[in-house]
Each structure stands twice: as C-alpha cells, then as structure tokens.
Amino acid sequence: MSASTAGQPSVLMVVAVIITLGVAAQVLADRYRVPSVLFLILTGVAVGPEGLGLVTQETFGGSLSTIVGLSVAIIVFEGAFHLDHEKIHEARSAALHLVTVGAALSFAGTTVAAHYLLGIEWGIAGLIGALLIATGPTVVTPILEVVPVRDHVAAALETEGIVNDVTAAILAVVVFKLLAATEAAPSAYLVEFVERLSIGVFVGLAVAAVLWFLLTQVELPAGWSPQNARLMTLAGAILAFSLADTIATESGVAAVAVAGVVLGNADLPFEETIAEFKGDITLVVLSFVFIALATLIEFDALFALGLSGLLLVFVIAVILRPALVFISTFADQFSMRERLFMGFVGPRGIIPASVATLFSIQLQNPAPPSNPAGAEILAGTVFLVIFLTVIFEGGFARKIAETLDVIPMRVLIIGGGRVGKELAERLSERGENVVIIERDDVVAKQRRAEGFTVRTENGTDVEVLRAAGAEQAKTVIAATGDDDTNLLVAQLVRAKFQTEDVIARVNRPDNKDAFEELGVEAVSASTATAWAIDNLVERPALSEWMSELGRSGDVQEVEITDEELVGRSVADINPDLPEGCIIALLTREGTNNVPKGDTELSMGDRLTIIGPREGVKEAVSWFHPHD
C-alpha cells in the first residue's frame, strides 16, 4: 500500500508543500528584513515530527542524502559564482586568515570543548569540531541580503563561508574514515585531506575549462539563447559535484566551489542572466533543503545534551567565534564594531546538518566505526548548534548590526580621479560605505591600493550600477571629468533606481541647466573653486574647520520624524542635545532660517546640526529614529 493510500501525504505533495512554505518564508523574510534561514528552519520544525508530522525521515527514504547533496552543489556553486576576484580583494588578508588560522582554531577549540563538556571520546569530538568549522553561503548570503554591511566585511564572510564549507566537509570525512582505522599514522590525516581536496579541485577545474571552452570558443549555432548557457552551467555544477563525489566522498563540495569561482571570473557570455537564473534556482533548493533537514531535528536528542550542550553552544558562539575573528582580522582594515559583528554572527548551515545526518546513520550500523551512542550525541550536538545559532545569530543579525552601527550609508562614486578620490576619502572617514566605479585599469588599481572598494567597470552600464549596489544606495555621485558621462549616469540612476540623492559634477558651467532639468544636484567645478577661495579670504577659520569635517567635527542635515519632538521649542530641546551640538539652521517648506529659541518644531522640518562628530551622529538618531 502506498504512503498516500495509508493516510500519509505522497512525496509529490510533501515536496509541493515544502517549496510553497519555503517561498512563503522568503516573502516573510523580505517583509520583516530578517534572514530567511530563520523562517525556513522554524518552518521545518513545524512540519516535522516534532510539529505537525507532515515530513519525517521516512518520507524520502534513502534518497534524502542524494537530494540534499545536489541541492548543496547548486547552493555552493551559486555562492562561488558571485565571488569575483575584486570582491575577494576587498578583504584578501582577512579572508585568508579566516579560512586557515580561523578554521584551525575553530576545529581545535570545538573539539576540545566537546570532549570535556560532553564527556565524549576524542573521535566523536573531532567529528563535531570538523563539521562546525562551516558557516557557509546557505546562512551567510541570506544574512547579507538584509544586513548591507561594508563590502570588505561581506567579502570576508562570503569567502570564509564558501571555503570553510569545503574544509568542513572534507575534514569531517577524513576524521570519520580514520575512526574505523585500527592503526593510522598522524600523517594519514593530512594525506587523506589533501587527496580529497585535490580531487575536488581537479574535477572543478576540468568542468569549468570545458564549460568555458563551449561558451566562449565554440561558434554558437543559430537560435542559441541565454537559456542554453544557463542550463549548461547548471548541468556543469551538478556534473562536477557528482563526478568528484563518486571518486571521493564529499570532494564534490570542493569541485563545485572551484568551478563556481573560476566561471564567475571567466567573463562568460550571458553572465548576468546565468547569475540571475542560478539565484532563482538557489532560492528554491535553499528553501527545500533547509526545511527538509530541519524536520530531522529531534528535541529529545537536543534535551538529552542538557546544560552541557547549551554551554558548548555558548563556548562556540560567544568565545571561540569572536576570538578567531579578532585573531584573523588583526591589523586589518576592520573596525572594532565590524569585528564584533563578524564575531557574533557566524551561524552554521547545511553542510554540518547534512553530513552529520549521514554519519549518524553510519555510526548506528554494526560495521566499524559503530558507535550508536556517539551517533546520537553527534547529531544532537550539531543540530543544537545549528538551531540556536540560526535563531539567535541569524534571526537577530540585523539588530546586532544596528546596535553595533555597522550598516553604513552606501555611496556610489562614478569616477575615481582626483575629485572622486577626495570625495571617497572624506565620506569614508565619516563611516560611509563608499564604492568607486572606475573604468581605467591604472586608476582603479591605484585607488584599490589606497584601500578603497573599486569596481573596474563602465559606470554608464545599468547592470554595473546594479551590481555595485545602486538599488540600496542613498547617494550616487557622478564625478568624472566628462559632462556627457555624468549626465548619462544621472539619467540612468533616475530612470532605473529609486536613489534618494543624485549629485553630478559639472565641468562646464553652461551644462548645469541640463543636469538641473533632471532634478539632479549639479555642482559646477568653477563655482565650487571660487566659493572655496572666497571662504579662505572672508571666513578662513570656518573654511579650515569645514575642511576637517568627518575627522573631529561634523555638520549633518536631518529630517524630524519623531512625533514626540513635534511642538517642542528649540529652547526646550537644546538641553537634551548631545554636548557641544547646536541647531544652526532650520529648513521648512524650502525656506532656510536660523531658529529662535521659541521656534516650534514640526514634522518634516530639516535641521542642520553642528558639533562633535559622535555628538552629531547621536543627535541625528534622536531627531530621525525611523528609516
């Protein structure tokens, strides 16, 4: 009798329900600006054995590991495909340390903590330590979609996630295999790890080379469409994973990661459509795999770990993770707040869950390394860490970022010449997330060496602007030496993106009207120079102070959005302003006035605040607490 005949839903219906719930979870995540993995894992628990019982381990039988494996292949490949060399360069040193020193510290620290806190043998503790190295794109990417941190922070987290997924999967298999060995020299661990990694790298490079050749060197037949390129890359990812995994277990993750990075940096035709297509596929498989694996969580196994299990999660998330981040980012461009954010946001994802499930099943078999008790502890510990870190670190990632104030305003500067560089320096010093788009390779290389985030591309291309973050940018500045280019950038930004402020440099004063007709703030180079010289002559102290803005003092304009301040007078709120801050100007209905003491504030008034940098920042948050 079939499952559906026996009163249980069919596999087809279960898959349909999972995908539907996954899409709903994604929609809710976008609505509440929370990483989707939080809703996905809670949904999985709700429909699993601990909830409604719609999905159980028996639903998919022995095919679940295969389905999860192929899903992981697509997810890892998609994440690696977006990891272009310019992004890696943003945090090259930190990323390298996170995937080497950081991974080693995570493995050693988690292994030792699991051994002593849970009272388990070193072999099982080593398996737990190896698996929990991984964060992975399955959890990092959804977080970064709703927490737009600085590019170098995102680059470090994404690179760590992809590389450490590979490290965790292969290292765990090596440790598991050697558990069954009666005699094994310490060097056997290293040899086994290198062998599997090498197989994955070789297969990934081979598949990437074949795809690159087919897409770039073979004459395309009549009727060829971008859809063919999409399907070829998807098939290539699955082939790379399956082939490598057939040769050596878990080397498939390395294969798809390598293939993704190589193809993502190979300047393929239809690259944008390939990336967009794979992103859509990834959303579906991510939803499926997270919900499916969450149904495997057994609360009895989690509760059996007791206080020791909770203490282990605390050590991993609150002690080990921040420590390895601080060590890995030492003497780098990361601020203390950014280090804290990276340290407290490192949830574990699919790789630990899927591999732990596989190992726990094998450990319950009579054949070596049989260890039923160890199997329960392994699965319970890994799922407990995943469950709690996803809920607290993933679910509260945006709140953590807001508390630490690591979500800057994104500013795009098109043109990395002298003006662009000067702007980038000043805005960066004020804590803004500045991205320069410069098409000249030499200039771009110079700006990158000076520590700026630079994309060496054409700023008049809509897709380039989108990839650089124009959709999230509050300000776009066209600062090239060519008015036609600046005008085109302004037109594109106005037409395609809902950017709050568009500012353009005008090199020839007679072109200013063309910019203003678009509603673009136009700054004439000659007028700005004359104004600066006039300030030096008539107001030298003010001019000198203005040149130091962002270093100690600051001037900010802010709109009043706090209803509690409406109706209060300037004299009434002055004592509540941060020390050293004053309201210098009040703008109402387009009219600027120096406010008097009895001037009452209205909703929508714009105030110009002058004072110490941190004080002005605090005042801005007070007057404008809502985004």
Side-chain angles (χ1 to χ4, degrees):
M1 183 179 292
S2 66
S4 56
T5 305
Q8 297 295 323
S10 66
V11 174
L12 178 62
M13 181 57 69
V14 169
V15 171
V17 169
I18 288 177
I19 293 177
T20 301
L21 291 174
V23 172
Q26 299 282 356
V27 172
L28 284 173
D30 289 340
R31 170 65 179 82
Y32 294 105
R33 303 175 80 181
V34 173
S36 59
V37 291
L38 174 63
F39 288 110
L40 292 173
I41 199 167
L42 292 177
T43 301
V45 172
V47 300
E50 302 294 342
L52 300 175
L54 296 177
V55 187
T56 65
Q57 275 188 290
E58 291 74 31
T59 300
F60 300 99
S63 60
L64 181 60
S65 60
T66 302
I67 296 172
V68 170
L70 292 177
S71 300
V72 167
I74 294 172
I75 294 167
V76 173
F77 182 85
E78 197 265 342
F81 191 84
H82 285 91
L83 201 62
D84 61 73
H85 66 280
E86 290 190 351
K87 181 180 288 187
I88 296 174
H89 189 89
E90 299 300 334
R92 182 174 53 189
S93 174
L96 178 63
H97 292 149
L98 283 170
V99 302
T100 52
V101 177
L105 290 173
S106 176
F107 173 57
T110 304
T111 299
V112 171
H115 173 72
Y116 287 107
L117 291 176
L118 301 179
I120 56 177
E121 60 181 270
W122 284 107
I124 300 299
L127 271 180
I128 294 172
L131 288 170
L132 293 179
I133 290 173
T135 52
T138 56
V139 286
V140 172
T141 301
I143 288 173
L144 296 178
E145 286 176 352
V146 297
V147 186
V149 292
R150 286 179 177 274
D151 286 2
H152 61 266
V153 176
L157 290 175
E158 287 180 314
T159 306
E160 177 199 22
I162 291 169
V163 176
N164 279 355
D165 256 6
V166 176
T167 303
I170 296 178
L171 183 60
V173 171
V174 172
V175 173
F176 183 82
K177 187 174 181 179
L178 292 174
L179 281 177
T182 54
E183 295 182 5
S187 60
Y189 287 84
L190 180 61
V191 171
E192 183 77 15
F193 180 84
V194 172
E195 283 181 354
R196 291 175 183 272
L197 180 61
S198 300
I199 290 169
V201 170
F202 176 78
V203 172
L205 288 174
V207 171
V210 171
L211 281 173
W212 175 84
F213 180 80
L214 293 174
L215 292 172
T216 62
Q217 303 301 308
V218 176
E219 184 177 352
L220 301 180
W224 179 272
S225 69
Q227 183 178 359
N228 300 116
R230 297 171 179 178
L231 295 175
M232 286 178 64
T233 52
L234 177 61
I238 295 174
L239 176 64
F241 176 84
S242 303
L243 183 59
D245 221 49
T246 300
I247 299 172
T249 308
E250 297 304 326
S251 62
V253 180
V256 290
V258 170
V261 171
V262 171
L263 291 172
N265 290 277
D267 195 23
L268 297 176
F270 314 115
E271 185 173 341
E272 291 82 8
T273 58
I274 291 172
E276 184 179 342
F277 172 71
K278 292 195 68 58
D280 293 338
I281 294 293
T282 298
L283 284 178
V284 175
V285 297
L286 180 64
S287 301
F288 177 82
V289 78
F290 244 113
I291 293 176
L293 286 178
T295 63
L296 303 180
I297 296 176
E298 296 180 358
F299 286 169
D300 288 343
L302 303 186
F303 293 146
L305 296 171
L307 185 61
S308 298
L310 294 177
L311 187 58
L312 177 62
V313 177
F314 178 85
V315 169
I316 292 171
V318 182
I319 298 177
L320 281 177
R321 173 68 185 177
L324 71 86
V325 167
F326 270 73
I327 292 171
S328 299
T329 58
F330 180 74
D332 219 319
Q333 75 266 46
F334 298 88
S335 68
M336 177 63 71
R337 293 174 182 271
E338 288 170 342
R339 289 187 174 94
L340 286 171
F341 173 77
M342 295 169 66
F344 288 116
V345 179
R348 273 49 175 186
I350 292 299
I351 290 293
S354 58
V355 180
T357 301
L358 174 65
F359 287 164
S360 64
I361 293 172
Q362 294 183 6
L363 285 170
Q364 294 176 27
N365 294 332
S370 178
N371 190 335
E376 192 167 319
I377 292 175
L378 171 65
T381 302
V382 170
F383 274 106
L384 180 65
V385 173
I386 293 171
F387 191 64
L388 294 181
T389 56
V390 166
I391 288 178
F392 290 102
E393 297 184 350
F396 292 97
R398 186 173 181 86
K399 184 59 65 177
I400 294 171
E402 290 173 346
T403 301
L404 293 173
D405 194 21
V406 294
I407 304 179
M409 179 178 75
R410 179 176 286 262
V411 179
L412 296 189
I413 298 178
I414 291 80
R418 291 188 297 272
V419 174
K421 174 190 174 183
E422 192 74 24
L423 274 170
E425 285 180 345
R426 296 173 69 84
L427 291 168
S428 295
E429 286 172 354
R430 289 168 57 178
E432 310 299 357
N433 185 15
V434 179
V435 178
I436 298 174
I437 301 177
E438 171 58 58
R439 66 189 304 174
D440 186 290
D441 289 339
V442 175
V443 175
K445 188 174 182 180
Q446 290 174 344
R447 298 296 170 259
R448 194 175 289 112
E450 291 162 351
F452 298 110
T453 298
V454 184
R455 298 185 71 92
T456 313
E457 293 173 301
N458 185 356
T460 61
D461 187 315
V462 173
E463 293 306 322
V464 169
L465 291 169
R466 180 176 285 108
E471 290 177 315
Q472 297 82 36
K474 289 188 176 180
T475 303
V476 175
I477 304 171
T480 75
D482 180 68
D483 283 352
D484 290 337
T485 299
N486 292 341
L487 185 61
L488 180 55
V489 169
Q491 288 175 323
L492 289 174
V493 171
R494 280 291 185 206
K496 300 293 183 181
F497 309 106
Q498 302 301 316
T499 307
E500 189 173 311
D501 296 308
V502 181
I503 302 171
R505 168 187 174 186
V506 181
N507 300 281
R508 295 179 57 186
D510 53 341
N511 289 335
K512 190 173 181 181
D513 291 342
F515 286 88
E516 292 180 341
E517 287 176 2
L518 288 173
V520 173
E521 291 290 338
V523 179
S524 169
S526 56
T527 302
T529 303
W531 181 81
I533 294 173
D534 179 55
N535 275 337
L536 283 172
V537 173
E538 299 293 337
R539 297 167 285 275
L542 177 63
S543 178
E544 182 179 352
W545 185 77
M546 290 290 289
S547 69
E548 292 296 315
L549 284 181
R551 295 178 174 86
S552 56
D554 203 359
V555 178
Q556 288 287 327
E557 185 176 312
V558 58
E559 179 182 354
I560 296 178
T561 60
D562 189 342
E563 294 181 358
E564 295 184 3
L565 296 174
V566 175
R568 294 181 63 181
S569 67
V570 171
D572 182 34
I573 65 171
N574 270 335
D576 297 329
L577 287 172
E579 185 177 356
C581 291
I582 62 170
I583 300 175
L585 199 67
L586 184 148
T587 304
R588 180 180 294 169
E589 297 179 353
T591 302
N592 301 316
N593 291 295
V594 176
K596 299 178 182 179
D598 59 356
T599 301
E600 292 187 353
L601 303 181
S602 300
M603 184 69 74
D605 284 350
R606 299 190 71 86
L607 304 179
T608 300
I609 313 296
I610 298 179
R613 178 178 172 182
E614 290 302 318
V616 169
K617 194 173 186 179
E618 183 182 340
V620 167
S621 299
W622 182 39
F623 287 112
H624 185 71
H626 313 295
D627 289 333

